[in-house]
Each structure stands twice: as structure tokens, then as C-alpha cells.
Amino acid sequence: MLLAWATAMTEQERAYFEHLTKIMLKTRGVRFTAAETEKRKELHAIITISFLSIYLTGWSFATALYPDAFSHSDNKALSIVSVVASISLLVISLFEYAAGRSVHAEKFLQNALHISPMVRELERQLASPNPNLVRIAEIASNYEELVAKAGVNHTSSDYRLWSFEKITPQNRFERFVFPLIKPVRRFFPLAYSAIFQIALILMVLSTTGWLAFRIIDQAKF
């Protein structure tokens, strides 16, 4: 061990460990992004489930309190939408339970937090005039073991989102446009994963609006 410590670091070794530092920083950043994305997806699912639950409860109260306000065709349409909403509520709940987004988000977060002290120590070792090659090798081995035992891995979508977030504006136009584009870019992976939920909410809202318009139109006569 003492011999390894005393041995000077070669240029190839330094280049390798500097490259490893960049990889560790990148992995940490992407996994922070993945954890945040998973939490947002879970939040959107909770909002959808809550909306459908309130929707079904609200229409049940409305039909019970004002039965004469709904015609036979209105009740039939409402029943069909309620059945679709109920089934969708069950499917979304089961899917979110199976996806385990909160568990994945926690694993990504903990993995990124454990990488942080490793990469900082590696940076300090490389900045030292006499870096400890034994300790550096241990850090590299511990990092590989930590990533392998994480149990989850980020997707290419998480990496692209992180890469986009890391872009530094180079001119005045980019400094003006990037703050406007970033929220839209963050929405893409959420919209893609929640397209069924969005379509369902739009269908329910459009049907609700149609029924409300019919009831108001009939009340005029």
C-alpha cells in the first residue's frame, strides 16, 4: 500500500480518473433529474386520481339532489362517462402502484446523494500534489459498486433532459429564449408518460361541458 501511495500518478491514470470524475458528476446530475421527474409523474397521477374521484362524487350528488334536471339521454351519457372514469381510475391506481414511482424516485435520490461525497473526495485527491492512488482506486471501485446496487437506472429521456438543463446560453437571444423553453421541455417527458391521463381528463371535461350546456339550454324553456 505504501509503495502504491509513493508511486507517482501517470498521465494516463490522471486522464482516466479525471474522465471518471466527469462521469460521476454526470450520473449524479442525471439521477437527481430522474428523481425529480418520477416525483412529478407521481404528482400528476395523484392529481388525476383526485380529479376523477371528485368528479364521480360530484355527479353522484348532482343526480341525487336534482334528478329532474337530467333527461334520460343525459343520464345515459353520464352513466357511460362515469363507468369509463371509474375503470380509468382503477387502471391508473393499479398502474401507479405497479410502477412504484415513489420508490424509484427515492432510489435515484439516495444514489445521487451517495455519489456526491465520492466525487468530491476524488476531486480533492486529484487536486492534491500527492494523490493517494490506493484511495482513488477505492473510490472508483465503490462508485461502480454503488451504481450496480442501485436497483434502478435512468432512461435516455432523463439524460437528454439533464443535458438540456446544463446548456449555458451563449448570447442575448438564448438568454431570453431558454427560460421560456425550459418549462416546455420539462413538460415533454411528463406529457408522454401521462398521455392517457390527459386524454381522459379532456374527455371527462368535454362531456361535462356538453351536459352542462344541455341542462342550461333546457332550463331556458
Side-chain angles (χ1 to χ4, degrees):
M1 181 180 295
L2 293 176
L3 179 61
W5 192 337
T7 302
M9 181 183 293
T10 65
E11 290 298 324
Q12 291 82 359
E13 289 173 329
R14 176 170 289 277
Y16 169 77
F17 288 120
E18 287 178 349
H19 178 65
L20 179 62
T21 301
K22 295 178 181 178
I23 293 176
M24 293 171 69
L25 289 170
K26 185 181 297 184
T27 302
R28 183 191 66 172
V30 176
R31 299 210 162 180
F32 273 130
T33 300
E36 184 179 359
T37 301
E38 290 296 310
K39 289 180 180 179
R40 288 179 179 175
K41 289 178 180 179
E42 183 182 31
L43 177 61
H44 287 191
I46 292 173
I47 292 174
T48 303
I49 292 172
S50 301
F51 170 78
L52 292 175
S53 300
I54 294 172
Y55 172 84
L56 293 172
T57 303
W59 276 115
S60 297
F61 273 113
T63 53
L65 294 175
Y66 306 101
D68 297 334
F70 300 91
S71 65
H72 177 71
S73 59
D74 293 337
N75 284 324
K76 188 175 182 180
L78 181 59
S79 298
I80 294 173
V81 175
S82 297
V83 169
V84 173
S86 299
I87 295 174
S88 301
L89 179 61
L90 177 61
V91 170
I92 293 172
S93 301
L94 292 175
F95 177 79
E96 289 301 314
Y97 175 77
R101 298 194 189 281
S102 59
V103 176
H104 288 175
E106 184 62 23
K107 286 183 178 180
F108 280 130
L109 180 61
Q110 291 302 320
N111 194 246
L113 291 174
H114 281 93
I115 291 174
S116 293
M118 289 185 180
V119 70
R120 295 308 178 199
E121 184 177 359
L122 181 57
E123 288 176 330
R124 286 194 298 269
Q125 288 288 345
L126 293 176
S128 171
N130 297 306
N132 185 342
L133 289 178
V134 173
R135 181 53 188 156
I136 291 176
E138 289 178 353
I139 294 173
S141 178
N142 291 339
Y143 166 73
E144 293 174 358
E145 184 178 359
L146 179 65
V147 172
K149 290 184 176 180
V152 291
N153 194 16
H154 54 261
T155 64
S156 58
S157 177
D158 296 320
Y159 175 74
R160 288 193 298 268
L161 178 59
W162 175 82
S163 300
F164 180 81
E165 295 282 348
K166 295 295 290 182
I167 296 176
T168 303
Q170 300 298 323
N171 51 57
R172 184 179 300 177
F173 175 75
E174 291 182 353
R175 285 193 293 269
F176 172 77
V177 172
F178 268 49
L180 303 177
I181 297 178
K182 283 185 177 182
V184 179
R185 179 63 183 84
R186 294 190 192 107
F187 179 74
F188 280 161
L190 302 178
Y192 179 77
S193 65
I195 188 169
F196 171 72
Q197 300 173 18
I198 295 173
L200 177 63
I201 290 177
L202 291 176
M203 183 200 72
V204 170
L205 289 177
S206 61
T207 306
T208 303
W210 175 75
L211 288 174
F213 176 79
R214 280 179 56 88
I215 292 171
I216 294 173
D217 188 60
Q218 291 174 1
K220 293 180 180 178
F221 297 97

